[in-house]
Amino acid sequence: MSSVISERDAFLGGKVAYEIYIRSFNDSNDDGVGDLKGITQRLDYLADLGVDYLWITPFFVSPLKDGGYDVADYRNVDPVFGTMDDFDELAREANARGIGLMLDMVFNHTSDQHEWFQKALAGDPKYQAYFILRDPEPGATPEDPGKPPTNWDSKFGGNAWAFSPQMNKWYLHLYDVSQPDLDWTNPEVRAELADVLRFWVDHGVRGFRFDVINNISKGSFEDDFEGDGRRFYTDGPYVDEYLRELVREGGIGDLMTVGEMSSTTIEHCINYTKPENNELTMAFSFHHFRVDNAGGTRWSKAKANIPMLRDTFAAWQERMAEAGGWNAVFWTCHDQPRPATRFGDDSTPELLNVSAKMLPLCTFLMRGTPYVYQGEELGMTNPGFTGIDQYRDVESINYYQIMQDEGKSEQEAFEIIAYKSRDNGRTPVQWNSSAYAGFSTVEPWIGVGCNYEWLNAAAEIDDPDSVYSFFKRLIALRKAEPIIQGGDIRFLESPAPQVIAYERTLGDEHVVVQCNFSGEEQPAVAAEGGEVFVSNYKEAGDGKTLRPWEGTAYVWR
Ligand code: TEU
């Protein structure tokens, strides 16, 4: 077995990315909304943590119906987030610290406020050809447009088509009604988007994240009587071809790129990320978040099924490795609840501390590039909101109603929202114990988590036992160890249902990682002769049992 890893694995496997949801990261001008200058102010913190790339969520001109994922102008900064000068300063300062910026390109759809859609509404045929429009059935009136072209559901609830009386046409919106889908079969659309990439590369950007990029090639427009329509537009026939063209024409073949892949398959992600295909460097996929979907729906509250989590990780890790693909590995993002609440235990500060360290230990030693989501490095939890009026997210507000329309009580619907809402991850980063957690001096656009007085960056930075310090150690370890960056990976049989264990191998070296996803002792995988590589417990265990929420990796070399 080779003891040398490939150049690609050394590069991607030695990097750590950090996601910034800009509205909630740091507010520099005291208007209650995070901004670009706010990020610049915290670059030293991020450099200390040791991250290499910052994925910044959209800060382009936007009506903010979907937190900026509704872009009205891809080449300008929304005034609420700052100015182009602020951006250039951020890029300069980040690059000077060896941190690259990755921008979030929302290319499946625009905002209905985008000039292209406005021109389409006004009847300009050039721009009508930018979107996916369909004529209504004969006899349709603005009041009664008849049946939509297909029965597909929008991801945010309701039918995926909206009727525009102004155009006398239906338009497709897989997301909010204010987010019309672009027609990628139109070469002019593809050329415009490649040009947007070149624009930002010229501004010093070193990578891109592509929003729901596997939805850009719609297959056939037919009714779906088995599902919600996604099988007709997910991983469609031309995604690979469009990606190759975008990367080539955008001139980004040497940059770090990650595609957000919604409802995808491993086989597709292999193709999207195999270096010889010249598409993307890695894929962000969500199958491991299905483990707490009761009855097959995300809008449910259930304990995570750990054997299913283990099998999902095993399949994605082993299969992508065998075939030369590359995964982004992560526990959360701006669309997910806080992992410490969801997969760990936040009921006491002690349990939170140990479980919020076990989780990254489990994923940081896998094969792929880890992504840390703002506040995760502090062990931030779901915020403990108590009323629906505290929520801002369009998806949460829609589904709160839809669940009640479908028969859930107000209380049941609220509990599910409180557990699963995207807003769980969108409350302000807890910087210190002052009012509004040091995020802003005025009331933020969304409330602050209930525990900011003791759970905050100021309390953790100099504490060697904090979650923050543990993340720093994991990041440093990954950069130092080729076996983690590019070693083979094989999942081990779990000694108990609540345990996930795997092995990394490089030449004669090997590492065994074992994690206890429970508050009870569990049997351990035998580790005789191994030395502790990293653990969330200070004292070595007895080698036979894993303590509550213990994550320990052993090394043989
Ligand atoms: O999300 C992709 C997506 O498929 C979402 O529906 C996601 O599954 C959902 O939020 C549940 O977690 C991306 C962005 O990350 C999200 O913030 C945007 O709202 C969405 O695209 C539309 O641009």
Coordinates of all heavy atoms in Angstrom, one line a residue, residues 21 55 66 69-70 104 106 109 155-156 175-176 179 209 211-212 215 260 262 286 298-299 333-336 393-395 420 422 426, ligand 1:
Y21 N -22.5 33.2 7.5 CA -23.9 33.7 7.2 C -23.8 35.1 7.5 O -24.0 35.5 8.7 CB -24.9 32.9 7.9 CG -26.3 33.2 7.5 CD1 -26.8 32.8 6.2 CD2 -27.2 33.9 8.3 CE1 -28.1 33.0 5.8 CE2 -28.5 34.2 7.8 CZ -28.9 33.7 6.6 OH -30.2 34.0 6.1
W55 N -16.3 30.7 3.2 CA -17.5 30.7 2.3 C -18.4 31.8 2.9 O -18.9 31.6 4.0 CB -18.1 29.4 2.2 CG -19.6 29.3 1.9 CD1 -20.4 30.3 1.3 CD2 -20.5 28.3 2.2 NE1 -21.7 29.9 1.3 CE2 -21.8 28.6 1.8 CE3 -20.3 27.0 2.9 CZ2 -22.9 27.8 2.0 CZ3 -21.4 26.2 3.0 CH2 -22.7 26.6 2.6
D66 N -35.3 35.7 0.8 CA -34.7 34.4 1.2 C -33.3 34.6 1.7 O -32.3 33.9 1.2 CB -34.8 33.4 0.0 CG -34.3 32.0 0.5 OD1 -34.3 31.7 1.7 OD2 -33.8 31.3 -0.4
Y69 N -30.4 34.7 -0.9 CA -30.4 33.7 -2.0 C -31.4 34.1 -3.1 O -31.7 33.3 -4.0 CB -30.7 32.3 -1.4 CG -29.5 31.8 -0.6 CD1 -29.3 32.1 0.7 CD2 -28.5 31.1 -1.3 CE1 -28.1 31.7 1.3 CE2 -27.4 30.7 -0.7 CZ -27.2 31.0 0.6 OH -26.0 30.6 1.2
D70 N -31.9 35.3 -3.0 CA -32.7 35.9 -4.1 C -32.0 37.1 -4.6 O -32.1 38.2 -4.0 CB -34.1 36.3 -3.5 CG -34.1 37.0 -2.1 OD1 -33.1 36.8 -1.3 OD2 -35.0 37.8 -1.9
D104 N -20.7 32.8 -2.9 CA -21.9 31.9 -3.0 C -22.7 32.3 -4.2 O -23.3 33.4 -4.2 CB -22.7 32.1 -1.7 CG -23.6 30.9 -1.5 OD1 -24.1 30.3 -2.5 OD2 -24.0 30.6 -0.3
V106 N -25.7 32.0 -6.6 CA -27.0 31.4 -6.7 C -27.5 31.5 -8.1 O -28.0 32.5 -8.6 CB -28.0 32.2 -5.8 CG1 -29.3 31.5 -5.7 CG2 -27.3 32.4 -4.4
H109 N -31.5 30.3 -9.9 CA -32.7 31.2 -10.0 C -32.1 32.6 -9.7 O -31.0 32.8 -9.1 CB -33.8 30.8 -9.0 CG -33.2 30.5 -7.6 ND1 -33.0 29.2 -7.2 CD2 -32.9 31.2 -6.5 CE1 -32.5 29.1 -6.0 NE2 -32.4 30.4 -5.6
K155 N -40.0 23.9 -3.1 CA -39.3 23.5 -1.9 C -39.7 24.2 -0.6 O -39.5 23.8 0.5 CB -37.8 23.7 -2.0 CG -37.2 23.1 -3.2 CD -36.5 21.7 -2.9 CE -35.8 21.3 -4.2 NZ -35.3 19.9 -4.1
F156 N -40.3 25.4 -0.9 CA -40.7 26.2 0.3 C -42.3 26.1 0.5 O -42.8 27.0 1.2 CB -40.3 27.7 0.1 CG -38.8 27.9 0.2 CD1 -38.2 29.0 -0.2 CD2 -38.0 26.9 0.7 CE1 -36.8 29.2 -0.2 CE2 -36.6 27.1 0.8 CZ -36.0 28.2 0.4
Y175 N -38.0 27.3 -5.7 CA -37.9 27.8 -4.3 C -39.0 28.9 -4.1 O -40.1 28.6 -4.6 CB -36.5 28.4 -4.1 CG -35.5 27.2 -4.1 CD1 -35.0 26.7 -5.2 CD2 -35.3 26.4 -2.9 CE1 -34.2 25.6 -5.3 CE2 -34.5 25.3 -2.9 CZ -34.0 24.9 -4.1 OH -33.2 23.7 -4.1
D176 N -38.8 30.0 -3.5 CA -39.9 30.9 -3.2 C -40.5 31.5 -4.5 O -39.8 31.5 -5.5 CB -39.3 32.0 -2.3 CG -40.4 33.0 -1.8 OD1 -41.4 32.4 -1.2 OD2 -40.3 34.2 -2.0
Q179 N -38.4 33.7 -6.5 CA -37.1 33.2 -7.0 C -37.4 32.4 -8.3 O -37.3 31.2 -8.3 CB -36.5 32.3 -6.0 CG -36.0 33.1 -4.7 CD -35.6 32.2 -3.6 OE1 -36.4 31.4 -3.1 NE2 -34.4 32.2 -3.1
R209 N -18.9 28.7 -4.0 CA -19.9 27.7 -3.6 C -21.0 27.9 -4.6 O -21.5 29.1 -4.8 CB -20.3 27.9 -2.2 CG -21.3 27.0 -1.6 CD -22.7 27.6 -1.5 NE -23.6 26.7 -0.8 CZ -24.9 27.0 -0.8 NH1 -25.4 28.0 -1.4 NH2 -25.7 26.2 -0.2
D211 N -24.9 27.3 -5.3 CA -26.2 27.0 -4.7 C -27.0 26.0 -5.5 O -27.0 26.1 -6.8 CB -27.0 28.3 -4.5 CG -28.2 28.1 -3.6 OD1 -28.0 27.8 -2.5 OD2 -29.3 28.3 -4.1
V212 N -27.5 25.0 -4.9 CA -28.4 23.9 -5.6 C -28.0 23.7 -7.1 O -28.9 23.7 -7.9 CB -29.9 24.2 -5.4 CG1 -30.3 24.1 -4.0 CG2 -30.3 25.6 -5.9
N215 N -29.7 21.3 -9.7 CA -31.1 21.5 -10.2 C -31.1 22.3 -11.5 O -32.2 22.6 -11.9 CB -31.9 22.2 -9.1 CG -32.2 21.4 -7.9 OD1 -32.1 20.2 -8.0 ND2 -32.6 22.0 -6.8
E260 N -23.4 22.7 -4.0 CA -24.4 22.2 -3.1 C -25.4 21.3 -3.9 O -26.0 21.7 -4.9 CB -25.3 23.4 -2.5 CG -26.2 22.9 -1.5 CD -27.4 23.8 -1.2 OE1 -27.7 24.6 -2.1 OE2 -27.9 23.7 -0.1
S262 N -28.5 19.0 -4.0 CA -29.8 18.7 -3.2 C -30.3 17.3 -3.7 O -30.3 17.1 -5.0 CB -30.7 19.9 -3.4 OG -32.0 19.5 -3.8
F286 N -26.5 16.0 1.5 CA -27.3 16.1 2.7 C -27.9 14.8 3.3 O -28.7 14.9 4.2 CB -28.4 17.1 2.5 CG -27.9 18.5 2.2 CD1 -27.7 18.9 0.9 CD2 -27.6 19.4 3.2 CE1 -27.2 20.2 0.6 CE2 -27.1 20.6 3.0 CZ -26.9 21.0 1.6
R298 N -38.9 16.0 6.6 CA -38.0 16.8 7.4 C -38.7 17.5 8.5 O -38.2 17.8 9.6 CB -37.4 17.8 6.4 CG -36.2 18.6 7.0 CD -35.6 19.4 6.0 NE -35.3 20.7 6.6 CZ -35.7 21.9 6.2 NH1 -36.4 22.0 5.1 NH2 -35.4 23.0 6.9
W299 N -40.0 17.8 8.3 CA -40.8 18.5 9.2 C -41.4 17.6 10.3 O -42.6 17.3 10.4 CB -41.9 19.3 8.5 CG -41.2 20.3 7.6 CD1 -41.1 20.2 6.3 CD2 -40.5 21.4 8.0 NE1 -40.3 21.3 5.8 CE2 -39.9 22.0 6.9 CE3 -40.2 22.0 9.3 CZ2 -39.1 23.2 6.9 CZ3 -39.4 23.2 9.3 CH2 -38.9 23.7 8.1
C333 N -25.0 23.9 8.4 CA -24.8 25.1 7.6 C -25.9 26.1 7.9 O -26.6 25.8 8.9 CB -24.8 24.7 6.1 SG -26.4 24.1 5.5
H334 N -26.1 27.1 7.1 CA -27.1 28.1 7.5 C -28.5 27.6 7.2 O -29.5 28.3 7.4 CB -26.8 29.4 6.7 CG -27.1 29.1 5.2 ND1 -26.2 28.4 4.4 CD2 -28.1 29.4 4.4 CE1 -26.6 28.3 3.2 NE2 -27.8 28.9 3.1
D335 N -28.7 26.3 6.8 CA -30.0 25.8 6.5 C -30.4 24.7 7.6 O -31.4 24.0 7.4 CB -30.1 25.1 5.1 CG -30.0 26.1 4.0 OD1 -30.4 27.3 4.2 OD2 -29.5 25.7 2.9
Q336 N -29.6 24.5 8.6 CA -29.7 23.4 9.5 C -29.7 23.8 10.9 O -29.2 24.9 11.3 CB -28.6 22.4 9.2 CG -28.5 21.8 7.8 CD -29.6 20.9 7.5 OE1 -30.2 20.2 8.4 NE2 -30.0 20.9 6.2
D393 N -37.4 33.2 8.9 CA -37.2 32.4 7.7 C -38.5 32.1 7.0 O -39.4 31.5 7.6 CB -36.5 31.1 8.1 CG -36.3 30.2 6.9 OD1 -36.3 30.7 5.8 OD2 -36.3 29.0 7.1
V394 N -38.5 32.4 5.7 CA -39.7 32.2 4.9 C -40.2 30.7 4.9 O -41.3 30.4 5.0 CB -39.5 32.7 3.4 CG1 -38.2 32.1 2.8 CG2 -40.7 32.4 2.5
E395 N -39.2 29.8 4.8 CA -39.5 28.4 4.8 C -40.2 28.0 6.1 O -41.2 27.3 6.1 CB -38.2 27.6 4.6 CG -38.5 26.1 4.5 CD -37.2 25.3 4.5 OE1 -36.4 25.4 5.5 OE2 -37.0 24.5 3.6
K420 N -36.2 22.1 14.0 CA -35.7 22.0 12.6 C -35.5 23.3 11.9 O -34.8 23.3 10.8 CB -36.6 21.1 11.8 CG -36.5 19.6 12.1 CD -35.2 19.0 11.5 CE -35.0 17.6 11.8 NZ -35.9 16.6 11.1
R422 N -34.4 26.6 10.0 CA -33.2 27.1 9.5 C -32.7 28.3 10.4 O -31.5 28.6 10.5 CB -33.3 27.6 8.1 CG -33.8 26.5 7.1 CD -33.6 26.8 5.7 NE -34.3 28.0 5.2 CZ -34.2 28.5 4.0 NH1 -33.5 27.8 3.1 NH2 -34.9 29.5 3.6
R426 N -29.2 30.7 12.4 CA -29.1 32.0 11.9 C -29.1 33.1 13.0 O -29.1 34.3 12.7 CB -30.2 32.3 10.9 CG -30.1 31.3 9.7 CD -31.1 31.5 8.7 NE -30.9 30.6 7.5 CZ -31.6 30.6 6.4 NH1 -32.6 31.4 6.3 NH2 -31.3 29.7 5.4
Ligands
TEU1 O1 -30.7 25.5 -0.2 C1 -30.9 24.4 -0.9 C2 -32.1 23.6 -0.5 O2 -32.4 22.6 -1.2 C3 -33.0 24.0 0.6 O3 -34.3 23.8 0.2 C4 -32.6 23.3 1.8 O4 -32.8 21.9 1.6 C5 -33.6 23.7 2.8 O5 -33.2 25.0 3.1 C6 -33.7 22.9 3.9 O6 -32.6 22.8 4.7 C7 -30.0 26.6 -0.8 C8 -29.6 27.6 0.2 O7 -28.6 27.0 1.0 C9 -30.7 28.1 0.9 O8 -30.4 29.0 2.0 C10 -31.6 28.8 -0.1 O9 -32.8 29.2 0.5 C11 -32.0 27.9 -1.3 O10 -30.8 27.2 -1.8 C12 -32.5 28.7 -2.4 O11 -31.5 29.5 -3.0

